[in-house]
Amino acid sequence: MAQIVMDEVSKVYGGNVRAVNALSLDIADGEFMVFVGPSGCGKSTALRMIAGLEDISEGTIAIGDRVVNDLAPKDRDIAMVFQNYALYPHMTVRDNLAFGLQLRKTPKEEQAKRVADAARILALEPYLDRKPAALSGGQRQRVAMGRAIVREPQAYLMDEPLSNLDAKLRVGMRAELARLHDRLGVTTVYVTHDQIEAMTLGSRVAVLKDGELQQVDTPQNLFEYPKNLFVATFIGSPAMNLVDARLARDDGGVAVTFADYKLPVPAQVMARPGLDGFVGKDVIIGIRPSSFEDAALVHGDDPRPRIKAEVALVEELGSEVNLMFTVPAPPVHHDVMLAKFDKHAAEADETSEVLAAEGETLWTARVNPRTSARPGRDLELVVDTTELHFFDPDAGNAIGNEAGQDGTSRAAREPEAQA
């Protein structure tokens, strides 16, 4: 196992296109680090530079105690698992697992031992004499992982290894990967565009946009303490609801006003560092869909504020329901939120345009499945204002949104919020 250190690493194409720009990251020995971001954000390029499959334009990469900038991939003591399984179709599973060891002239007895160990770990023992064509997609991906395991490298590098699998298999393989990492404890760098994979697998997650690192933290801290508008809207599904608002004194306290709404801001929220300096100023506020609840399903004495909305769309997901409704305020647009090469962003905007008129923003509330809400009906929603997020409208950075030094969640640091 080994620590991986990226120091001001850049990849420049054609003299001026920066696919990765000054990326600095320390990946601890035994850590499961996930690179996540939209299409074209540089995550696969960064992984390929660690592997030696892409030349480094600037900066240094160290694996263990060696700077590897000029080392060939085979000399870096890493193993890669790719999106396509890259199995040899004419070889059996056993031969596919052993092929890399044969190239390194590993003694046959050691080859047999490592193959047997990998097959046992990945439950491939019944398939050792089959060829890839006789395997399911999940079994083929396990063989690809097994081929990496037998190498016993210092680090595993995985480039969207589950993207070719169907939804059910992906869930199973995510659990398989997590179990495998717990068992082997080998440093792993994993690339995905799927934030659910990122959040469920990563010890820490590095969020990239346009080749630059936006934030690296634990999955929970990324969700609760995003550093800017891009991270806030990229992490979390459905995405965080945003609106331009104003923070002002109100009846001895502070309230945030936007569209036709006014929400009192709890004292423990105003105690966040730097937020008091924005009283009397414009801000961007963010509300997670999970911070809403159907008012008809809470106790009558619940002190949390309420807003009224007309339901535009209902998504029933079994364990929860997503209610979409419009807010009479224009959508928030900020340079920080834009990713140059993200083709999916335009698709999301089109969905919003269909359901929201000009000057309106489509919001989502995630509520209890017992809700009786239906499209076209008015609804009262409870808002948990202890979970409000605030952003500087000029810089797009979060205000007072810092995780504790021990990585504790906001709920743990603000116990009165749960009272």
Side-chain angles (χ1 to χ4, degrees), residues 249-404:
R249 300 284 176 194
D250 180 70
D251 295 333
V254 176
V256 62
T257 58
F258 60 95
D260 298 331
Y261 307 116
K262 180 168 72 172
L263 297 174
V265 182
Q268 70 264 31
V269 174
M270 288 306 304
R272 296 177 194 166
L275 185 56
D276 191 60
F278 281 82
V279 174
K281 299 180 181 179
D282 292 334
V283 293
I284 295 171
I285 66 163
I287 306 177
R288 293 280 184 198
S290 54
S291 296
F292 291 104
E293 184 53 274
D294 184 341
L297 300 177
V298 300
H299 298 298
D301 58 353
D302 192 306
R304 293 176 296 179
R306 304 179 179 208
I307 65 172
K308 291 184 178 179
E310 181 180 328
V311 179
L313 184 68
V314 177
E315 291 183 336
E316 298 190 22
L317 304 176
S319 60
E320 58 211 8
V321 171
N322 290 336
L323 305 178
M324 296 185 186
F325 60 99
T326 57
V327 170
V332 171
H333 295 292
H334 199 287
D335 289 346
V336 169
M337 299 165 63
L338 301 177
K340 297 176 186 175
F341 306 110
D342 185 9
K343 61 184 179 182
H344 301 294
E347 296 171 4
D349 287 344
E350 288 175 7
T351 302
S352 180
E353 289 173 6
V354 169
L355 294 173
E358 186 175 354
E360 294 182 334
T361 303
L362 188 67
W363 276 19
T364 302
R366 175 165 284 181
V367 302
N368 191 295
R370 292 184 293 115
T371 182
S372 59
R374 292 294 179 268
R377 296 183 185 176
D378 289 337
L379 178 72
E380 194 171 44
L381 291 166
V382 168
V383 186
D384 189 347
T385 49
T386 66
E387 297 179 349
L388 290 176
H389 295 259
F390 296 85
F391 302 90
D392 183 337
D394 294 325
N397 294 326
I399 307 166
N401 219 16
E402 298 176 0

Side-chain angles (χ1 to χ4, degrees), residues 53-387:
L53 301 176
E54 292 278 1
D55 293 333
I56 300 166
S57 302
E58 301 164 4
T60 59
I61 295 178
I63 300 176
D65 56 359
R66 296 187 303 169
V67 173
V68 299
N69 287 37
D70 299 320
L71 287 182
K74 65 182 180 64
D75 298 323
R76 297 193 181 197
D77 198 13
I78 54 92
M80 285 203 70
V81 181
F82 295 96
Q83 178 177 347
N84 59 338
Y85 315 126
L87 302 179
Y88 296 104
H90 63 287
M91 293 184 181
T92 63
V93 169
R94 189 190 312 277
D95 292 338
N96 266 285
L97 293 175
F99 186 69
L101 300 177
Q102 293 169 2
L103 291 181
R104 289 166 180 78
K105 302 189 185 305
T106 305
K108 287 188 176 181
E109 296 80 4
E110 181 66 17
Q111 288 183 37
K113 178 182 179 302
R114 292 191 189 184
V115 167
D117 288 344
R120 185 178 65 257
I121 291 170
L122 294 168
L124 289 171
E125 290 168 307
Y127 313 110
L128 285 173
D129 295 319
R130 293 188 189 180
K131 292 183 178 179
L135 303 177
S136 68
Q139 290 163 350
R140 291 179 197 176
Q141 192 56 274
R142 295 214 303 272
V143 176
M145 291 175 188
R147 194 167 49 189
I149 289 172
V150 297
R151 292 272 313 281
E152 297 184 357
Q154 291 191 87
Y156 297 125
L157 308 181
M158 301 188 181
D159 192 0
E160 304 216 40
L162 308 185
S163 60
N164 285 340
L165 304 180
D166 62 38
K168 185 176 180 181
L169 270 178
R170 285 173 76 103
V171 172
M173 288 303 298
R174 283 203 303 267
E176 202 60 56
L177 276 171
R179 183 184 64 82
L180 194 60
H181 181 260
D182 288 343
R183 179 167 182 169
L184 300 177
V186 178
T187 307
T188 301
V189 185
Y190 187 101
V191 163
T192 182
H193 66 276
D194 184 336
Q195 60 158 297
I196 295 177
E197 273 183 25
M199 300 288 276
T200 54
L201 286 173
S203 309
R204 285 191 301 157
V205 176
V207 182
L208 289 89
K209 176 180 78 78
D210 299 335
E212 297 187 349
L213 180 65
Q214 301 297 302
Q215 185 175 352
V216 57
D217 212 327
T218 64
Q220 192 64 30
N221 279 344
L222 287 177
F223 183 83
E224 294 193 9
Y225 307 97
K227 285 190 173 181
N228 60 35
L229 285 166
F230 177 79
V231 178
T233 52
F234 188 81
I235 297 296
S237 181
M240 182 184 288
N241 304 299
L242 298 176
V243 69
D244 292 309
R246 189 166 184 85
L247 202 57
R249 300 284 176 194
D250 180 70
D251 295 333
V254 176
V256 62
T257 58
F258 60 95
D260 298 331
Y261 307 116
K262 180 168 72 172
L263 297 174
V265 182
Q268 70 264 31
V269 174
M270 288 306 304
R272 296 177 194 166
L275 185 56
D276 191 60
F278 281 82
V279 174
K281 299 180 181 179
D282 292 334
V283 293
I284 295 171
I285 66 163
I287 306 177
R288 293 280 184 198
S290 54
S291 296
F292 291 104
E293 184 53 274
D294 184 341
L297 300 177
V298 300
H299 298 298
D301 58 353
D302 192 306
R304 293 176 296 179
R306 304 179 179 208
I307 65 172
K308 291 184 178 179
E310 181 180 328
V311 179
L313 184 68
V314 177
E315 291 183 336
E316 298 190 22
L317 304 176
S319 60
E320 58 211 8
V321 171
N322 290 336
L323 305 178
M324 296 185 186
F325 60 99
T326 57
V327 170
V332 171
H333 295 292
H334 199 287
D335 289 346
V336 169
M337 299 165 63
L338 301 177
K340 297 176 186 175
F341 306 110
D342 185 9
K343 61 184 179 182
H344 301 294
E347 296 171 4
D349 287 344
E350 288 175 7
T351 302
S352 180
E353 289 173 6
V354 169
L355 294 173
E358 186 175 354
E360 294 182 334
T361 303
L362 188 67
W363 276 19
T364 302
R366 175 165 284 181
V367 302
N368 191 295
R370 292 184 293 115
T371 182
S372 59
R374 292 294 179 268
R377 296 183 185 176
D378 289 337
L379 178 72
E380 194 171 44
L381 291 166
V382 168
V383 186
D384 189 347
T385 49
T386 66
E387 297 179 349

